[in-house]
Amino acid sequence: MGAFPRVAHWDDDDFFDILMGTSDGSVRYYRNLGDGSFDEGIPLEVGPPGAKVPIDVGSRSAVCIVDWNEDGRRDLLLGAYDAKFHLFLNTGSDLAPEFETSSPLSGPGGDLSVPDSRSSPDMLDLDGDGAKDLIAGDNEGRLWFFPNLGTNSAPEFDGSWRIESASVPYDVENFGRSRPRICDFNGDGLPDILTGSVLGTVHLLPGGEYIPDEVPEVGAARARLSAWPNPFNPRTKLSLAVPEGGAELRLEIFDSSGRRMRVLAAGRMDEGRREFIWNGRDDAGHRLPSGLYLARASMPDRRLLKKLVMLK
């Protein structure tokens, strides 16, 4: 019970192998023998040379294979029954992985987790800023979006947001135990979400129909919104790549409760990169408190967001 498979080229041949998360918290590697069969499997291990032990995250390990630090080597990010995320950095090579240590993902508020048990992670850039984000399922069948506030090679996270579908917070039709996978399932260039459930059903959320934090279409051609520095004090520069042909757009700042604090731009803009400085003040010139804010660029056919963290 509790098997959680992922496929990957894990060794130096051309066949897809299987990494299996298990109910006991381990991860087993099943090598593809090339004839339609697999070997009996071995547990992946962690620890210094000569003192390795099987990976163990407690129970209900859920596997995400990702190049966490963009060093050309596949790392492991594991979900678990404890609701946290466990990172295993690869100190070997891409085709001969070695794991010496593990660490929980953490942010300013402590260890990252889903609100309930059975975290199930996957990673891809969902808000179009060029840095991979984290999504996760949980025991209740919900989906959670953790925006990357750092860079693609040095991810940083601070808080999560419910993923919505048709403006309703998504769950797997109340079946529970959502297990998401991000891919371009229908070949339209947008990231889709496939998610399993406790009943064994698989559900598709097409890109543009699911909404991370009330933002439709992700990854539309050339449209990008980024901010630097972030976190910031006292100001940050927002860079907006306007797509081909230009667009009517509004660039606005909202607080964490959804109240609009500032309008930075409104009107027709030609294609190309535009930069805007936000000084941490509202439209009336009042200095806003430190905390989490949302920059949103709205165009007729898409909206882009960037989470901003203001520190004092």
Side-chain angles (χ1 to χ4, degrees), residues 118-134:
R118 300 178 191 262
S119 55
S120 179
D122 201 14
M123 297 195 74
L124 196 73
D125 178 15
L126 285 181
D127 57 15
D129 65 356
K132 55 183 173 284
D133 305 299
L134 170 65

Side-chain angles (χ1 to χ4, degrees), residues 126 208-212 214-219 301-304:
L126 285 181
E209 294 184 17
Y210 71 86
I211 305 174
E214 300 182 352
V215 178
E217 294 188 12
V218 178
D301 61 345
R302 74 202 72 172
R303 284 184 292 172
L304 303 174

Side-chain angles (χ1 to χ4, degrees), residues 88-109:
F88 296 76
L89 290 177
N90 182 0
T91 58
S93 68
D94 190 42
L95 295 178
E98 294 285 340
F99 305 103
E100 294 188 6
T101 61
S102 67
S103 59
L105 293 193
S106 60

Side-chain angles (χ1 to χ4, degrees), residues 88-258:
F88 296 76
L89 290 177
N90 182 0
T91 58
S93 68
D94 190 42
L95 295 178
E98 294 285 340
F99 305 103
E100 294 188 6
T101 61
S102 67
S103 59
L105 293 193
S106 60
D111 290 346
L112 296 184
S113 64
V114 294
D116 204 81
S117 59
R118 300 178 191 262
S119 55
S120 179
D122 201 14
M123 297 195 74
L124 196 73
D125 178 15
L126 285 181
D127 57 15
D129 65 356
K132 55 183 173 284
D133 305 299
L134 170 65
I135 71 164
D138 68 8
N139 190 59
E140 298 300 313
R142 299 166 295 192
L143 294 174
W144 299 92
F145 173 52
F146 296 77
N148 184 353
L149 303 178
T151 66
N152 203 34
S153 59
E156 297 178 8
F157 302 94
D158 181 18
S160 61
W161 304 74
R162 284 287 301 274
I163 285 182
E164 297 183 349
S165 179
S167 300
V168 177
Y170 183 77
D171 63 36
V172 190
E173 296 184 6
N174 298 312
F175 293 156
R177 300 187 190 178
S178 46
R179 299 292 181 260
R181 177 67 170 168
I182 312 169
C183 62
D184 184 3
F185 185 80
N186 54 16
D188 64 356
L190 297 175
D192 309 306
I193 298 177
L194 288 173
T195 183
S197 77
V198 69
L199 296 185
T201 55
V202 179
H203 303 254
L204 171 65
L205 283 73
E209 294 184 17
Y210 71 86
I211 305 174
D213 190 37
E214 300 182 352
V215 178
E217 294 188 12
V218 178
R222 295 189 58 192
R224 293 289 185 272
L225 178 63
S226 60
W228 189 89
N230 190 24
F232 70 97
N233 180 25
R235 61 178 57 86
T236 186
K237 179 189 293 183
L238 292 161
S239 295
L240 176 63
V242 181
E244 263 183 280
E248 289 283 341
L249 65 84
R250 290 177 64 86
L251 180 59
E252 301 164 293
I253 305 294
F254 296 82
D255 68 11
S256 59
S257 65

Side-chain angles (χ1 to χ4, degrees), residues 295-310:
R296 189 174 74 188
S298 302
M299 288 169 267
D301 61 345
R302 74 202 72 172
R303 284 184 292 172
L304 303 174
L305 69 80
K306 184 66 181 176
K307 293 296 188 309
L308 305 173
V309 177
M310 182 161 61

